[in-house]
């Protein structure tokens, strides 16, 4: 038996992240008829029928979606959150709210909801769209263990879910997971460009680079060795890999990655301040 059995789950906002999470929930066995999506756009609501999820209920009225729900996932842009939640702030009962809005603290969201406290903050990333996501979660003190299990189950339907015990750590989650797929895409892009410069055509370079990154990531997950040890095992003394790694080290690629993550962290903090 799953903690999601017979739970009514509503999504406020029907964009890409909501679609990703709903796809994961349905794939994990949640009955589509227990899921409701509230979105103002008729075109967005129609997408659920187009994706063969026509038993997912959709509505333009967020209040109707919130009433009777066990879990409400807030998947709208943080800039419009205050306006959206004002439409159902008088319909709160005991629903568990999970916010996936970047930079929006639980304290601020609670104030928007009239000091309602059943709130979990989540930071998923775009691979959630293929159920390969990585999500950081933070709960306010009044969230029970059963509610944490429920929030975990909702987010694990689309990949890994990991709790942090300090809300400020959500900025670090953003740096290492939320924004990080873009770092990997940039690395793959650079590998492709490099291979083309060395004589391969674009299709060859793309397929080889993407499969290599996929394989290396899966090896890291499956192996008992650390990434550093796996790297050392690929490097033969005075070989081709050593030459490549020494070039990266000489150009301080590791330091540059750390600085990029720090920039992401700092911007995440700044966005949180701007939301106040």
């Amino acid at each position: 038996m799953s903690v999601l059995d017979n739970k009514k789950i509503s999504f406020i906002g029907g964009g890409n992240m909501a679609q990703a999470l709903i796809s994961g929930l349905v794939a994990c066995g949640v009955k589509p008829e227990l899921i409701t999506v509230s979105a103002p756009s008729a075109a967005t609501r129609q997408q659920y029928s187009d994706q063969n999820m026509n038993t997912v209920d959709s509505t333009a009225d967020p209040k109707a979606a919130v009433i009777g729900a066990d879990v409400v996932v807030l998947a709208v842009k943080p800039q419009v959150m205050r306006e959206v939640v004002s439409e159902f702030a008088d319909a709160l009962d005991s629903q568990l709210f999970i916010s996936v809005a970047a930079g929006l603290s639980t304290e601020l969201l609670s104030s928007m909801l009239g000091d309602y406290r059943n709130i979990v903050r989540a930071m998923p990333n775009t691979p959630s769209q293929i159920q390969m996501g990585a999500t950081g979660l933070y709960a306010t003190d009044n969230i029970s263990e059963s509610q944490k299990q429920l929030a975990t189950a909702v987010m694990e339907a689309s990949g890994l879910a990991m709790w942090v015990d300090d809300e400020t750590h959500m900025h670090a989650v953003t740096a290492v997971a939320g924004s990080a797929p873009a770092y990997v895409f940039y690395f793959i892009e650079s590998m492709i460009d490099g291979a083309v410069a060395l004589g391969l055509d674009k299709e060859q370079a793309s397929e080889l680079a993407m499969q290599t990154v996929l394989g290396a990531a899966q090896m890291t997950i499956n192996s008992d060795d650390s990434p550093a040890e796996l790297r050392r095992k690929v490097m033969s003394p005075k070989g081709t890999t050593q030459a490549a790694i020494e070039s990266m080290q000489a150009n301080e690629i590791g330091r540059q990655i750390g600085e990029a993550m720090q920039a992401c962290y700092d911007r995440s903090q700044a966005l949180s301040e701007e939301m106040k």
Side-chain angles (χ1 to χ4, degrees):
M1 177 178 290
S2 166
V3 296
L4 295 175
D5 286 349
N6 299 315
K7 297 297 187 203
K8 295 182 178 179
I9 305 172
S10 290
F11 286 77
I12 308 302
N16 290 337
M17 188 54 67
Q19 291 177 30
L21 296 174
I22 290 169
S23 294
L25 289 167
V26 173
C28 286
V30 175
K31 297 176 181 177
E33 55 267 29
L34 293 175
I35 299 174
T36 300
V37 180
S38 170
S41 166
T44 298
R45 298 194 299 272
Q46 181 61 38
Q47 288 178 7
Y48 290 90
S49 294
D50 295 342
Q51 295 171 3
N52 297 317
M53 289 192 287
N54 55 331
T55 52
V56 171
D57 187 29
S58 61
T59 177
D61 182 4
K63 187 172 182 178
V66 168
I67 294 173
D70 296 294
V71 181
V72 178
V73 180
L74 298 172
V76 298
K77 295 184 184 300
Q79 294 86 348
V80 301
M81 185 69 76
R82 188 181 299 276
E83 178 184 354
V84 171
V85 302
S86 68
E87 298 185 44
F88 56 77
D90 60 346
L92 306 182
D93 183 11
S94 58
Q95 302 96 331
L96 173 64
F97 281 81
I98 302 174
S99 170
V100 298
L104 212 165
S105 70
T106 53
E107 180 181 2
L108 181 55
L109 185 55
S110 176
S111 70
M112 292 180 184
L113 291 168
D115 294 325
Y116 191 78
R117 307 296 294 177
N118 286 353
I119 299 170
V120 167
R121 181 176 171 185
M123 171 51 68
N125 61 14
T126 54
S128 296
Q129 295 173 16
I130 56 169
Q131 286 77 63
M132 293 288 287
T135 298
L137 294 163
Y138 170 78
T140 55
D141 290 341
N142 62 304
I143 294 295
S144 67
E145 186 58 34
S146 62
Q147 288 174 318
K148 288 185 72 172
Q149 291 175 2
L150 183 56
T152 299
V154 170
M155 302 311 295
E156 277 187 341
S158 296
L160 172 75
M162 181 176 295
W163 290 90
V164 297
D165 57 10
D166 184 331
E167 189 165 9
T168 63
H169 291 166
M170 293 297 282
H171 301 302
V173 170
T174 301
V176 75
S179 295
Y183 317 160
V184 180
F185 300 149
Y186 185 65
F187 184 71
I188 294 171
E189 178 186 357
S190 299
M191 286 179 65
I192 293 168
D193 290 344
V196 170
L198 294 171
L200 294 182
D201 65 41
K202 187 70 172 285
E203 182 177 356
Q204 290 173 321
S206 298
E207 290 188 18
L208 288 168
M210 289 185 286
Q211 183 62 35
T212 298
V213 171
L214 174 64
Q218 194 62 56
M219 276 190 70
T220 307
I221 292 170
N222 293 345
S223 177
D224 292 331
D225 292 332
S226 68
E229 182 59 26
L230 288 172
R231 171 175 58 81
R232 283 190 287 269
K233 286 182 175 180
V234 180
M235 295 170 59
S236 300
K238 299 183 180 179
T240 57
T241 307
Q242 182 174 333
I245 295 298
E246 287 180 350
S247 174
M248 292 182 187
Q249 291 172 336
N251 285 286
E252 299 186 303
I253 299 300
R255 178 185 60 78
Q256 292 180 36
I257 291 171
E259 289 182 355
M261 293 177 69
Q262 184 66 55
C264 180
Y265 182 97
D266 293 344
R267 184 55 185 152
S268 180
Q269 283 187 317
L271 285 171
S272 290
E273 290 298 316
E274 291 170 12
M275 292 295 160
K276 292 181 179 179

